[in-house]
Amino acid sequence: MRHSIFAVFLALISFAGCGKPKEWTERYKRSARADIDLYLVPEKYALLESSWLKKTAIARFDKEQLAQSLAQYGRSVDDLKRNPAYEYKEEGNVVKLRVGRISHSTAYDYDVNIPLVFSGKWFDAGQFGEVVYQQHIAPTLAKLLGVSAPSGVEVRPLGVRTDVPKKPEIVVVAVIDQGGLNLLSTHRSAAPRIHALMQKSANYTNAQVGHLDAHTAVGHMAIGTGGFPVKSGVIGNTFFSMERKAGKEKLNKAEIYATKDESRVSPEELKSESLADVLNVVNKGRSVIVSQSYALRAALGMAGHGASLSAPDIAAAVRTGNLVYWLDAGKSRWITDARYYSLPAVAKASEPLLTYAKYYPQGYEGYAIRDTKAAYENWGVMMSTPAETQLEGELIRAVVQQEIIGKKKHNDGATDLVYVSFKSADAVGHHFGYHSLEARETLAEIDNQIGKIEDFLRQNYGEDFVLVLTADHGCAPLSEITGGARLTVEEVITEIDKLLPAEVAANDSLVTFMTVGQVSLNKKLMAAHNVTLEQVRARIMTIKPDGKTFFKDVLTRRDLDLGG
């Protein structure tokens, strides 16, 4: 009995005073910018994003696996059947279900547990259980290549064998966007090459996201720079702010690195040096740097600054040798910012829209996309498919073949560095959930492409290559499966602004901006209307979508030992 009372006591103090949970406080502290005032801690399985979160789609599930998944959360198929909004339908062993979107940003296991594998003769094969982060990748590769770690690195490199004198001719870092361990374990049989790679390589079984928000921009920055957000300044994908005038409102979304023209980017928003930046200087632009992702925030975060930071005597070589590119959703084509990077010739001929139409002449999951307007409107769906995955795998191999091997740069003594992010896992997870058959099919093609990359490297480089496999973050399970709540940033901002007089809130907001997990407040407006930080915090805690408690806590800078 005494032991039971003690256990209850511990549970009660876990969110009180100095008992704030370390998995949250430590991650937020590593991410704390001076302009952030509040740090959100949602309940487990509670999903927060913009209003996009409440859009829906029909997803397919294996009936038996769905029942097993529901049971993990104390739910059953009957719960789904009773809710007409889900449009539950069985077709043999397949269940069709209308589902909302999912998000990822938190310190919960489903968002932070990720794969991290180093394959190559410079690493001892084995299963290693220490806690490591994405931030360990850059210093480990720097040690391997005999160069200084990027300036923002705060962690030690992982084990590298010192009895292999030759450096690798190429290092390839493959990232499965939203490829957390939950995805890989749910569909284990769909990823035999990935699991085989884990078994025969240096596999870090307790690799985690060590920062917040657990988002694409932050994860890819961590992989490329080895820095935490507190130094890089990259804390999220999107900065949300509410624009109001005469009672009308509009949610503004400022994307990291982006301007209105995505061919003119802002690498200066990345405050940390990348491993690619280091190689650019050390090898005077002779190392070929490749960074491919359909999302700008991933491609730039991995590659770094390109020629924007280069000395005049190497700027041209760096600009030519840094092949960094992403997709323009409006035109369905690969682009770059030619001031700092180059676009590979083969990427100019790679068209996702044509690939989609070729592979899915009748449409994919009911989405018939035939022109750039439809592609833009259904971009996430088009990016979620096995066809897009195949296109990206074929493209990265073609770039290495043409720009490195074909130009005789693969054995010039300057190690080349290649990043590729398979972001289709993120797109399919957001739209259909990682439990879905759509997610399984896309993962199977990612597995196929990872295998082809490994085979391609072995065929062209023998044993003189390193292949790193990881993810930028995981993701939460669908609310339809867990019973968790969904909430939008618009609703959060609106609730906070109820602390203002109505006539003031009609034209202004207490929120300067927020990410999915962090809030910056308008101090002048707070002072003018006698609104305290504790009042804002308490107001957020009252939010209960559909009557469900959403926030477990709201942390302040004082909670992170950063002062008031």
Side-chain angles (χ1 to χ4, degrees):
M1 180 66 178
R2 289 172 59 189
H3 292 295
S4 298
I5 293 172
F6 182 65
V8 172
F9 173 73
L10 287 178
L12 289 173
I13 67 170
S14 66
F15 266 87
C18 63
K20 300 290 183 180
K22 284 187 176 182
E23 65 268 25
W24 291 88
T25 57
E26 290 180 356
R27 284 181 170 85
Y28 270 137
K29 194 169 183 177
R30 297 186 195 112
S31 310
R33 288 192 345 188
D35 54 352
I36 299 297
D37 303 291
L38 294 173
Y39 303 85
L40 306 179
V41 181
E43 293 280 356
K44 198 167 189 180
Y45 309 123
L47 308 182
L48 177 62
E49 248 292 350
S50 66
S51 56
W52 165 90
L53 185 67
K54 295 190 175 181
K55 292 184 177 181
T56 64
I58 298 294
R60 296 177 290 112
F61 301 87
D62 177 271
K63 183 179 178 181
E64 182 178 353
Q65 187 179 61
L66 178 61
Q68 292 171 352
S69 299
L70 287 162
Q72 294 176 17
Y73 308 102
R75 290 165 60 78
S76 70
V77 169
D78 288 337
D79 292 313
L80 304 180
K81 292 178 178 178
R82 281 194 291 266
N83 191 330
Y86 296 160
E87 300 178 20
Y88 183 96
K89 183 180 180 181
E90 292 184 12
E91 295 180 355
N93 294 325
V94 174
V95 170
K96 288 188 174 181
L97 196 67
R98 181 167 293 280
V99 299
R101 305 290 195 253
I102 63 92
S103 67
H104 47 77
S105 66
T106 75
Y108 292 119
D109 55 356
Y110 48 75
D111 280 341
V112 302
N113 291 345
I114 57 172
L116 178 55
V117 179
F118 291 86
S119 177
K121 60 186 178 184
W122 296 266
F123 301 95
D124 287 325
Q127 309 299 302
F128 303 97
E130 64 260 43
V131 174
V132 297
Y133 305 124
Q134 296 145 325
Q135 282 80 2
H136 283 89
I137 297 172
T140 300
L141 295 179
K143 180 181 178 181
L144 169 66
L145 300 179
V147 300
S148 299
S151 57
V153 168
E154 298 179 80
V155 299
R156 288 179 172 274
L158 301 176
V160 176
R161 293 182 60 173
T162 58
D163 59 342
V164 183
K166 185 180 180 182
K167 297 177 185 177
E169 293 174 350
I170 190 170
V171 173
V172 176
V173 181
V175 183
I176 306 175
D177 195 310
Q178 204 181 119
L181 294 183
N182 48 4
L183 174 68
L184 297 180
S185 62
T186 298
H187 303 295
R188 184 181 179 87
S189 63
R193 289 297 298 262
I194 290 172
H195 287 286
L197 190 66
M198 289 176 168
Q199 289 302 310
K200 67 184 181 182
S201 307
N203 182 29
Y204 288 86
T205 58
N206 203 9
Q208 299 178 11
V209 175
H211 52 256
L212 294 172
D213 298 350
H215 266 184
T216 294
V218 198
H220 285 81
M221 171 280 299
I223 291 164
T225 71
F228 288 103
V230 68
K231 288 194 173 181
S232 72
V234 179
I235 61 173
N237 292 344
T238 309
F239 300 88
F240 301 101
S241 61
M242 191 66 77
E243 179 183 339
R244 293 195 180 100
K245 187 174 182 180
K248 295 182 179 180
E249 64 181 32
K250 174 188 176 184
L251 185 71
N252 291 323
K253 303 176 184 179
E255 303 292 337
I256 190 77
Y257 312 132
T259 65
K260 289 184 179 180
D261 178 1
E262 277 204 358
S263 66
R264 297 185 70 83
V265 298
S266 300
E268 66 272 11
E269 292 186 52
L270 176 61
K271 308 300 182 186
S272 292
E273 182 181 47
S274 71
L275 179 59
D277 292 333
V278 173
L279 289 180
N280 284 335
V281 173
V282 169
N283 293 326
K284 301 185 182 302
R286 290 190 304 120
S287 287
V288 177
I289 308 296
V290 181
S291 188
Q292 172 185 299
S293 173
Y294 79 65
L296 161 63
R297 58 184 175 269
L300 194 153
M302 294 186 291
H305 300 85
S308 69
L309 290 184
S310 297
D313 61 325
I314 64 169
V318 169
R319 185 183 305 110
T320 300
N322 280 228
L323 307 168
V324 183
Y325 49 102
W326 50 92
L327 279 173
D328 180 337
K331 297 179 181 178
S332 188
R333 61 183 176 88
W334 296 96
I335 61 172
T336 193
D337 187 331
R339 296 174 298 170
Y340 314 128
Y341 317 104
S342 290
L343 180 65
V346 67
K348 297 175 183 178
S350 175
E351 298 188 29
L353 177 56
L354 293 180
T355 299
Y356 181 93
K358 173 186 174 182
Y359 278 83
Y360 308 109
Q362 305 304 317
Y364 174 81
E365 301 299 331
Y367 295 87
I369 302 172
R370 295 292 178 266
D371 53 41
T372 54
K373 180 175 182 295
Y376 183 77
E377 292 172 348
N378 299 284
W379 188 249
V381 173
M382 195 167 84
M383 293 296 101
S384 72
T385 64
E388 176 63 23
T389 307
Q390 180 178 332
L391 178 149
E392 293 179 3
E394 291 174 349
L395 178 58
I396 197 67
R397 295 194 298 277
V399 169
V400 173
Q401 181 67 54
Q402 294 189 15
E403 299 292 339
I404 300 178
I405 299 171
K407 294 181 179 180
K408 309 297 183 184
K409 296 182 178 181
H410 60 299
N411 54 8
D412 62 358
T415 301
D416 303 310
L417 180 60
V418 176
Y419 296 99
V420 56
S421 179
F422 288 100
K423 200 163 168 49
S424 52
D426 186 70
V428 76
H430 277 301
H431 279 77
F432 303 105
Y434 74 79
H435 287 96
S436 68
L437 291 175
E438 287 86 355
R440 178 184 178 85
E441 291 160 2
T442 293
L443 175 61
E445 186 55 38
I446 291 174
D447 183 76
N448 182 39
Q449 294 304 319
I450 295 293
K452 287 187 174 184
I453 288 172
E454 183 184 12
D455 295 342
F456 171 85
L457 291 172
R458 186 156 284 113
Q459 178 182 352
N460 289 281
Y461 290 88
E463 298 301 320
D464 294 328
F465 71 89
V466 165
L467 176 60
V468 181
L469 176 67
T470 190
D472 57 344
H473 53 73
C475 65
L478 286 162
S479 298
E480 289 75 13
I481 291 177
T482 65
R486 287 186 174 94
L487 181 70
T488 69
V489 295
E490 293 96 323
E491 291 170 310
V492 173
I493 295 172
T494 296
E495 193 64 36
I496 292 172
D497 287 336
K498 289 180 181 178
L499 293 167
L500 291 171
E503 63 275 15
V504 176
N507 295 284
D508 215 336
S509 176
L510 288 167
V511 177
T512 302
F513 69 84
M514 69 176 288
T515 68
V516 172
Q518 306 174 52
V519 183
S520 178
L521 296 170
N522 185 330
K523 308 296 196 311
K524 289 184 179 180
L525 195 61
M526 289 173 67
H529 296 279
N530 298 313
V531 177
T532 67
L533 188 67
E534 181 54 36
Q535 285 177 311
V536 177
R537 179 188 175 280
R539 193 80 195 191
I540 294 173
M541 290 293 294
T542 66
I543 299 175
K544 292 188 177 183
D546 300 322
K548 299 177 181 178
T549 299
F550 193 90
F551 290 105
K552 186 181 284 288
D553 205 352
V554 177
L555 306 177
T556 65
R557 294 183 64 81
R558 190 179 299 277
D559 293 323
L560 305 184
D561 296 325
L562 297 174

